[in-house]
Amino acid sequence: NIEAISNSRVLAIVLTVIIRVIVSVFLLIAGVQWLGNTTSIQELVLNAVGLGAILDIDGIMFAAMMPKHLQIKIQDLEALRVDYSGKRNR
């Protein structure tokens, strides 16, 4: 059982989430501008498929590089129950 998470791990998680949000917002803005500058329907469809592949690259890399038995174990993980006690605030 996990009883607590160290401050350094909480900081690492927060920084990772912030970086992921920044990258996602950047990709959203760049993708909208890129698709907005497309003149023909054929180019629009091709660019949309390319942008979709870029946004799915993390899932593709996970499926390609992670062994299948670990993929199954990760997918079967249950969410952690967090008990917000006053111990951390002292």
Side-chain angles (χ1 to χ4, degrees):
N1 290 340
I2 297 175
E3 293 184 17
I5 299 176
S6 67
N7 289 334
S8 60
R9 288 194 183 194
V10 170
L11 179 64
I13 291 169
V14 169
L15 287 176
T16 302
V17 169
I18 289 171
I19 291 170
R20 288 183 64 129
V21 168
I22 290 171
V23 168
S24 296
V25 168
F26 174 75
L27 282 174
L28 173 69
I29 293 169
V32 167
Q33 289 177 346
W34 186 43
L35 291 177
N37 289 328
T38 304
T39 56
S40 73
I41 297 296
Q42 292 171 337
E43 288 181 24
L44 179 66
V45 171
L46 186 60
N47 289 344
V49 169
L51 187 59
I54 290 172
L55 294 175
D56 290 337
I57 196 74
D58 60 335
I60 294 169
M61 288 183 65
F62 175 78
M65 300 179 88
M66 185 69 64
K68 191 66 174 174
H69 69 278
L70 289 178
Q71 289 180 27
I72 293 169
K73 286 184 179 184
I74 290 172
Q75 290 172 354
D76 290 343
L77 287 175
E78 294 181 18
L80 293 176
R81 185 179 166 279
V82 178
D83 182 23
Y84 293 102
S85 64
K87 290 191 321 188
R88 224 169 144 67
N89 295 330
R90 291 186 213 163

